Amino acid sequence: MSALSIASSSPITFSPVGTRHLERVNMQPAERLFQDLDKELRRDPNGANVISIMKEYLSTHDDWQDYMNFNEHKYARNLIGSNDMLELMVICWLPGQVSPVHNHAGQHCWAAVLEGVVEETHFHFSSTHSPFGEGPLEAVDVHQVSAGDVSYITDDIALHVLKPANDKRVATLHCYSKPIAECNIYCPCHGTITKRKLGFYTVNKRLQDMYDACGGSK
Ligand SMILES: N[C@@H](CS(=O)O)C(=O)O
Ligand SMILES: [Fe+2]
């Protein structure tokens, strides 16, 4: 596998200095975004500039639509690219689809809204008023995120749930650093934890045989 492993119709590899610029020109904007995020996260693992990089992409490009695939059974995770530092995906939500209460496996999660309006609910344990503890959970914040805006969460901030805020479909662009192969799902009533492997509905714009997303009620 190349140093930069990214889903693309034409495989991208690092090339000798001199031709790198030409390769970048030939990339799709979403592939360039992946490369820009990779560079930023290697410079600063906390990704101080990730939000501005994502917002710049959102305001100038729409090739994320090429990755937009919905699944009637659950919210659909469509991978743009991944490597050891990050994974970048378009997540598509039909009205009524919702993620379970979950964490992010100790990683950074940035979620930009591409289309529609998202409702995000933060949860803490009632016993500790923090994202760490035991027993029932309580919703501590509910807010909406509109197209063009970027939300950010880590396990230190809260557990969360996302869903479309109204009866219109939603597309979000998620950047995880580092990649999350598995997360915790929480039963809100008891705080019981279940491990859930995270799969992809499409990779490199191609449907995958098995799709096992992070739960979802529909
Ligand atoms: N973290 C979730 C999507 S969301 O609800 O933030 C996932 O990657 O499946
Ligand atoms: Fe999440």
Side-chain angles (χ1 to χ4, degrees):
M1 183 168 296
S2 63
L4 174 62
S5 170
I6 180 171
S8 162
S9 45
S10 50
I12 294 163
T13 53
F14 284 122
S15 49
V17 176
T19 60
R20 207 173 278 174
H21 171 69
L22 285 177
E23 281 207 355
R24 192 170 156 84
V25 167
N26 290 331
M27 283 182 189
Q28 296 300 305
E31 295 167 343
R32 283 203 299 273
L33 172 66
F34 180 89
Q35 200 180 57
D36 291 344
L37 292 171
D38 178 72
K39 190 174 169 194
E40 165 63 7
L41 288 160
R42 288 183 200 281
R43 182 194 70 79
D44 171 16
N46 289 322
N49 295 320
V50 164
I51 289 179
S52 58
I53 291 169
M54 289 177 94
K55 283 192 172 180
E56 168 70 15
Y57 169 80
L58 297 190
S59 65
T60 46
H61 300 292
D62 62 4
D63 65 315
W64 48 267
Q65 292 178 4
D66 299 345
Y67 297 89
M68 201 162 59
N69 291 289
F70 292 84
N71 178 298
E72 64 177 310
H73 300 295
K74 51 187 160 187
Y75 73 92
R77 306 173 87 243
N78 303 284
L79 186 67
I80 296 173
S82 70
N83 64 13
D84 60 316
M85 200 65 201
L86 78 150
E87 57 185 349
L88 185 66
M89 69 196 71
V90 173
I91 302 188
C92 294
W93 313 74
L94 290 169
Q97 293 184 334
V98 56
S99 52
V101 183
H102 62 275
N103 77 346
H104 296 87
Q107 304 305 325
H108 301 275
C109 164
W110 290 269
V113 179
L114 300 165
E115 177 183 313
V117 183
V118 166
E119 182 182 292
E120 178 178 29
T121 306
H122 285 182
F123 290 87
H124 283 168
F125 286 92
S126 307
S127 57
T128 57
H129 302 295
S130 90
F132 306 101
E134 289 180 354
L137 302 177
E138 60 182 7
V140 291
D141 183 43
V142 185
H143 55 268
Q144 297 195 346
V145 190
S146 301
D149 282 338
V150 182
S151 72
Y152 170 75
I153 195 163
T154 62
D155 294 348
D156 291 336
I157 296 172
L159 309 168
H160 81 165
V161 160
L162 296 192
K163 65 177 185 181
N166 51 41
D167 61 358
K168 294 196 170 58
R169 71 183 196 178
V170 161
T172 50
L173 178 69
H174 287 239
C175 173
Y176 297 117
S177 184
K178 295 184 173 162
I180 304 174
E182 189 175 85
C183 70
N184 289 343
I185 306 289
Y186 299 79
C187 164
C189 296
H190 305 102
T192 319
I193 296 173
T194 314
K195 295 268 181 211
R196 181 63 63 95
K197 281 195 168 42
L198 295 165
F200 292 104
Y201 184 43
T202 65
V203 172
N204 195 15
K205 303 173 189 166
R206 292 199 184 87
L207 285 178
Q208 302 299 288
D209 289 340
M210 301 285 288
Y211 178 50
D212 183 20
C214 179
S217 69
K218 191 177 171 191

